[in-house]
Amino acid sequence: MKRFYTLVLAALLLPMSLMAQGWPANYSGVMLQGFYWDSFIKSKWTKLEGQAGDFKGYFDLVWVPQSGKCLNSTSMGYDPYYYFDQNSSFGTQQDLKSMISTFKANGIGTIADVVINHHNTKGWWGFPAETYNGVTYQLKTTDIVANDCNGKTKTQADKDGVSLSSNPDEGEGWDGMRDLDHKSANVQNIVKAYQQFLVKDLGYVGFRYDMVKGFWASRVRDYNNAAGVEFSVGEFWDGSSKIKQWIDYTEKHSAAFDFDFKYTVTNAANSGNWNSLGKPNGSNWPIVSTNSDQSYYRYAVTFIENHDTEKRDNGESNGALEKDTLAANAFLLAMPGTPCVFYKHYLAYPYEIKAMIDARKTAGITNTSSYSNYRSAASYFGNIVTGSKGKLLVMVGANYSEPAANRYVKILSGHHYAYYLSPNTEVAFADKPSGTYTEAFNTKLTAVSAESSAQLVYTTDGSTPSATNGKVVAGGTSITISDNCTLKVGLLVNGSVTSTTTRNYTFAKPEDETFETPPAGYTFSANFIAPATWSADIEVHAWAWIEGGANYTPDNNAHWPGDKDHVYRVGKSKDGGYIWKWCYYGSETVPPSKIIFNNGGNGTGNQTADMVFTDNGWYNMNSTQSDPTLDIKGLTQASVADNAWYTLTGVKVARPTQKGIYIHHGKKVIIQ
């Protein structure tokens, strides 16, 4: 009986140890970095949750920003302060849990950004006390490494009469905040509790570790084992030989970002010398390369851009991709390793990137797939990647010869890239991915088969195509999709359908023509007609010249450039500029004195002057009038004979009681 109990206990413990092995082998998933620098609007939890249906079937993992509350009300999360309070610049803790739950329901795992190398403080020593599961956790001054900030922290500690750890930093230091001593039992206990909270209470499936050069790699192993996660990836920003050494030091309990892959692809695209894809980046080959140990492919998370390397609004860049974004993504999504797509790239090219993912999954490419070079020259480069279902040939660049049709069948192409499948893949491929479209489009249906007489049969009502159900067409045919439908296309060979591909298409208005109705309950408001040259997502800064200097931006913290969260796009003027409404929902009872509208707040012309505030007033770049007819034209076409009421966005409503401007009998009516 004792032996039976021991065996059962061992069986129960086995999955945990297996789950903590860094990254799954033969993994076919694709990851999305769901943010970029300052993506506070595009990466709000509610915004990302709303895209779950769009991500479904394409992105298996979404890496999101560090979700703990920070001292600054607007923060990307790399200045962590709270571990167990998850109300961040991207939304509330409840919003976060809802997003993670919705992702899970759609087959998507959420990856937490874990920042444990350093910690923010109030002053030098102010760490918060937090309670989780009845236990109070708080960092101490003795949890700060002895040589923090190159000795500046020790100098301050001596002045204040406090003690630091006697241990130096395990890795690289960073002067921005207090570096934590991971030899400290208190630090280890807090980190383990925090990560268990992320997994058990919030629903994260894995971790992206920030700045892992700052502490021993073995810590990642221990923390992963304590949390029992299957997915772990470290940001070890260095050459591949050192990255592989770091993976070894974690005892392969974590994957790592393949930085040399990023820089090799970036250099090839930026220079136009595509042949350099087959050469090392300096003296370092990418982890995913024919010159490396293929056993490390499993632990390589490949990428071509992230929030640190991208070119930011202020011009900063750490080797950003400057051109051929689609070609670079085509190469990324064809290769082994686990590809991580950058959110900006996805927002710019959602259909093209999803089509590439369709091709990857059709071929059955995984993180451990093998590949070989097909052809290369200065103007082009091609690799053949062997998947479990077929071979995918990726060509990037220009001036290459098309492969023989009996060897490879083209299924996708665009500027400086093309995808081909080996005929033995035996599949019907549709080059437009599932998703929401704004206008009718053509999708090309391609028969990929070793049988030259193969045909296609398709339906658009969701029924299963067969030799007697659906429309039979030639092996390469374009069809027009103009309404919501479920397309199913099968490969028809010798009277039988051997495979079926499904695409779900829906139609909606373009996002930039979707207008909002501000929630009720605001105290003050202002309306602004932006220039047509301004992009979306403007900010509003409003303040009062009264005692105490009340400010009306979020949390009354005088944050510049202002409030984004309570600015609503309510319409569009005839000249093409959007009409915005700013609403104040705070506790101030005295209206602001002044207001500024800006689109970037960088002082280069994308902002108004300091304008006198008038409640529910109307503004443009050059006026502080409260006349609601100011420059507003062509917002709606209500009939004079129509007795109904409409909002400025054309939505029919009951006779309004909320103040604002409405269309009634073809005229604008002000409800005060």
Side-chain angles (χ1 to χ4, degrees):
M1 186 69 178
K2 182 178 179 181
R3 182 173 181 273
F4 174 76
Y5 175 80
T6 302
L7 290 173
V8 170
L9 180 62
L12 290 173
L13 292 175
L14 184 60
M16 179 69 76
S17 62
L18 289 176
M19 283 181 64
Q21 292 302 308
W23 207 269
N26 303 314
Y27 183 63
S28 61
V30 176
M31 186 160 73
L32 173 71
Q33 179 180 359
F35 64 99
Y36 50 89
W37 200 253
D38 289 343
S39 62
F40 300 112
I41 298 297
K42 294 294 186 182
S43 299
K44 287 180 73 71
W45 307 142
T46 52
K47 178 76 172 177
L48 290 173
E49 180 177 7
Q51 297 181 83
D54 190 50
F55 296 162
K56 182 179 181 179
Y58 291 92
F59 296 110
D60 305 85
L61 299 170
V62 177
W63 158 31
V64 299
Q66 196 283 116
S67 53
K69 185 176 181 179
C70 299
L71 285 175
N72 296 319
S73 65
T74 304
S75 170
M76 290 301 297
Y78 295 105
D79 51 346
Y81 188 69
Y82 292 101
Y83 288 124
F84 302 100
D85 182 340
Q86 295 282 305
N87 295 287
S88 72
S89 297
F90 300 92
T92 67
Q93 181 167 314
Q94 187 56 45
D95 290 340
L96 174 64
K97 292 182 70 173
S98 177
M99 178 197 71
I100 293 173
S101 177
T102 298
F103 279 177
K104 182 178 180 181
N106 284 274
I108 303 165
T110 310
I111 301 295
D113 203 321
V114 173
V115 185
I116 55 174
N117 171 72
H118 52 268
H119 203 280
N120 203 2
T121 54
K122 289 183 178 180
W124 283 92
W125 323 116
F127 293 113
E130 300 182 83
T131 301
Y132 171 60
N133 282 347
V135 179
T136 298
Y137 297 94
Q138 186 173 23
L139 293 167
K140 305 172 183 177
T141 61
T142 51
D143 295 323
I144 302 170
V145 294
N147 57 339
D148 183 52
C149 291
N150 292 312
K152 291 191 290 288
T153 304
K154 178 64 165 62
T155 300
Q156 188 66 39
D158 291 342
K159 289 181 181 178
D160 294 343
V162 300
S163 298
L164 305 180
S165 170
S166 60
N167 298 317
D169 203 323
E170 292 182 339
E172 292 185 2
W174 185 51
D175 278 9
M177 290 165 205
R178 305 291 79 80
D179 277 10
L180 300 181
D181 175 20
H182 285 268
K183 293 187 179 74
S184 162
N186 188 46
V187 170
Q188 293 175 16
N189 288 337
I190 292 174
V191 171
K192 289 176 181 178
Y194 163 57
Q195 292 188 331
Q196 288 170 3
F197 164 70
L198 293 176
V199 173
K200 295 178 181 178
D201 291 60
L202 299 183
Y204 283 109
V205 300
F207 307 136
R208 176 266 183 187
Y209 285 95
D210 180 66
M211 198 176 171
V212 294
K213 282 189 173 184
F215 49 94
W216 286 349
S218 61
R219 307 298 180 197
V220 170
R221 175 202 62 201
D222 296 343
Y223 295 148
N224 284 347
N225 283 341
V229 291
E230 188 176 15
F231 299 96
S232 168
V233 55
E235 181 210 28
F236 195 93
W237 198 334
D238 213 316
S240 291
S241 60
K242 293 183 179 179
I243 296 174
K244 284 191 255 184
Q245 187 178 57
W246 180 84
I247 293 171
D248 287 339
Y249 287 160
T250 71
E251 296 181 8
K252 295 188 175 176
H253 279 61
S254 184
F257 287 106
D258 192 345
F259 276 89
D260 272 330
F261 184 95
K262 178 263 183 301
Y263 287 114
T264 297
V265 177
T266 295
N267 293 341
N270 288 349
S271 68
N273 179 15
W274 293 102
N275 192 39
S276 64
L277 287 175
K279 299 175 182 178
N281 173 46
S283 60
N284 292 300
W285 286 90
I287 298 175
V288 175
S289 77
T290 52
N291 195 45
S292 70
D293 183 346
Q294 192 171 332
S295 67
Y296 283 93
Y297 287 10
R298 169 181 174 179
Y299 303 102
V301 176
T302 54
F303 71 105
I304 54 174
E305 204 74 289
N306 68 23
H307 62 290
D308 285 321
T309 64
E310 67 167 315
K311 189 172 184 178
R312 298 183 183 173
D313 292 340
N314 62 4
E316 290 182 1
S317 169
N318 285 301
L321 182 71
E322 300 283 355
K323 61 181 182 179
D324 274 327
T325 300
L326 280 174
N329 275 281
F331 191 76
L332 168 76
L333 288 164
M335 294 291 283
T338 297
C340 183
V341 174
F342 188 43
Y343 195 31
K344 272 189 178 178
H345 294 172
Y346 178 71
L347 292 176
Y349 304 105
Y351 306 123
E352 293 88 343
I353 287 175
K354 287 171 69 174
M356 295 171 189
I357 297 173
D358 275 330
R360 177 186 183 87
K361 295 193 173 187
T362 297
I365 295 171
T366 73
N367 59 348
T368 56
S369 292
S370 60
Y371 73 93
S372 60
N373 181 245
Y374 174 67
R375 291 175 185 167
S376 62
S379 63
Y380 62 82
F381 190 85
N383 273 344
I384 300 170
V385 187
T386 302
S388 60
K389 303 172 186 176
K391 293 182 178 181
L392 178 64
L393 166 61
V394 53
M395 294 297 301
V396 290
N399 303 319
Y400 55 85
S401 300
E402 292 285 331
N406 64 341
R407 294 189 61 200
Y408 289 99
V409 180
K410 182 185 286 187
I411 56 169
L412 285 177
S413 64
H415 182 66
H416 284 176
Y417 76 91
Y419 274 3
Y420 306 79
L421 284 174
S422 58
N424 64 354
T425 309
E426 298 292 336
V427 68
F429 191 84
D431 70 348
K432 290 296 187 295
S434 297
T436 300
Y437 293 77
T438 59
E439 57 187 21
F441 60 89
N442 291 332
T443 182
K444 184 178 180 182
L445 311 181
T446 303
V448 182
S449 175
E451 177 56 60
S452 60
S453 63
Q455 293 178 293
L456 298 168
V457 57
Y458 72 89
T459 63
T460 56
D461 60 2
S463 62
T464 302
S466 68
T468 58
N469 181 47
K471 186 172 182 179
V472 178
V473 294
T477 302
S478 288
I479 63 173
T480 300
I481 305 295
S482 59
D483 202 355
N484 297 346
C485 73
T486 296
L487 169 69
K488 290 192 175 184
V489 54
L491 187 66
L492 186 61
V493 178
N494 298 324
S496 299
V497 174
T498 58
S499 72
T500 301
T501 295
T502 301
R503 301 280 190 265
N504 294 298
Y505 301 125
T506 58
F507 287 83
K509 289 182 179 180
E511 184 178 350
D512 63 358
E513 297 299 332
T514 302
F515 303 122
E516 304 170 283
T517 299
Y522 54 87
T523 310
F524 310 113
S525 66
N527 308 281
F528 178 65
I529 305 162
T533 55
W534 280 24
S535 63
D537 303 333
I538 71 167
E539 298 101 342
V540 173
H541 193 72
W543 69 99
W545 292 117
I546 60 174
E547 184 177 355
N551 187 279
Y552 295 78
T553 53
D555 300 325
N556 289 339
N557 68 342
H559 172 69
W560 177 260
D563 187 357
K564 286 183 179 180
D565 294 335
H566 306 110
V567 185
Y568 305 92
R569 182 166 50 193
V570 298
K572 197 171 187 178
S573 65
K574 190 173 183 178
D575 68 359
Y578 290 117
I579 299 172
W580 302 86
K581 188 177 188 71
W582 171 72
C583 300
Y584 176 68
Y585 294 90
S587 59
E588 296 293 336
T589 57
V590 176
S593 301
K594 295 291 186 72
I595 190 166
I596 295 174
F597 302 88
N598 69 76
N599 191 217
N602 55 12
T604 59
N606 288 340
Q607 66 182 62
T608 65
D610 296 4
M611 307 170 84
V612 175
F613 178 82
T614 300
D615 188 25
N616 202 35
W618 285 81
Y619 302 83
N620 63 13
M621 284 295 289
N622 304 306
S623 175
T624 59
Q625 300 178 46
S626 58
D627 179 2
T629 65
L630 176 68
D631 226 15
I632 302 177
K633 302 172 183 177
L635 289 178
T636 187
Q637 297 294 326
S639 168
V640 173
D642 190 346
N643 194 45
W645 292 79
Y646 296 86
T647 67
L648 290 180
T649 62
V651 178
K652 189 175 181 179
V653 295
R655 181 180 177 87
T657 57
Q658 185 176 333
K659 62 184 180 180
I661 299 175
Y662 299 86
I663 304 297
H664 185 56
H665 288 172
K667 297 181 180 180
K668 298 181 180 70
V669 179
I670 308 170
I671 303 295
Q672 297 285 8

